Amino acid sequence: MSDAERWQELFGPVGDGPAMKLASASSDAGAGSAGTGRLKHSKGPWTSASGTADDLRTRAGTSRSVLGRGHEGVEAGAAGLSSVAALKSVLTSWEERLQAVRDECEQLKGNLLTVAKEMGESETAVKSSLKGVAVHGKADEKR
C-alpha cells in the first residue's frame, strides 16, 4: 500500500462525510488564501539524499576501477612471494565490497526519489509553516 493510499485510508471520507482537506488546497476559490486546488511541496531533502547516494555510487565504481589498475602487474613483479596470493584475496574482497556499495547506492537512489514523489516532502512544508507560530509557556519551550 502506498503512502497516499494509507493516508486516504486514515483520513479520507467516511461514508458520505467530507474528506479532510487543507483550506489552502481547496478547489473552492473562497475557502482559503490560495484556493488553487493544488498542494505544493518541496522535494528538497529526499532529492538531495538521492543525489548523495548517486554520488557515492559513482565514487565506489571509480574507486573499484582505480583499485584494480593499482594492482596490475603485481603478480608478475612479485612472482615467487607468498604475499601475492594474500594480496589477490584482499583485492578480490575489496572489489566485491565496492561493487556491493555501488549496487546498494543505485537501489537507494531510486527508492529515495520514489519517497520524494510519494511523500511530497510534506514535513518540510509543515515545519516551515509552523515557524511563525508563537509558543508560550515553559513546557512549550522544550519543543
Side-chain angles (χ1 to χ4, degrees):
M1 174 182 296
S2 74
D3 291 329
E5 292 168 332
R6 179 75 174 136
W7 178 268
Q8 186 65 28
E9 178 183 312
L10 291 172
F11 300 105
V14 177
D16 291 331
M20 179 184 273
K21 289 186 177 182
L22 296 173
S24 62
S26 172
S27 58
D28 178 5
S33 59
T36 63
R38 307 260 326 154
L39 180 62
K40 300 197 185 290
H41 59 82
S42 164
K43 294 182 181 174
W46 295 103
T47 304
S48 175
S50 175
T52 301
D54 190 43
D55 290 344
L56 182 55
R57 179 196 62 81
T58 300
R59 290 179 182 178
T62 301
S63 296
R64 187 172 182 262
S65 296
V66 170
L67 184 64
R69 286 193 307 266
H71 282 80
E72 288 175 358
V74 170
E75 287 184 55
L81 296 177
S82 61
S83 61
V84 173
L87 186 58
K88 180 66 175 166
S89 174
V90 169
L91 171 63
T92 301
S93 172
W94 275 106
E95 286 176 331
E96 290 170 358
R97 292 174 193 203
L98 288 168
Q99 184 63 42
V101 167
R102 189 180 180 285
D103 294 346
E104 183 69 23
C105 288
E106 179 69 27
Q107 182 179 358
L108 185 59
K109 172 190 168 191
N111 291 345
L112 289 167
L113 285 175
T114 299
V115 170
K117 182 178 178 185
E118 286 183 8
M119 298 282 296
E121 302 287 354
S122 60
E123 63 274 355
T124 302
V126 169
K127 183 178 180 180
S128 66
S129 71
L130 294 175
K131 284 185 179 178
V133 176
V135 179
H136 302 287
K138 288 220 178 250
D140 293 329
E141 289 176 8
K142 295 179 183 177
R143 292 185 196 173

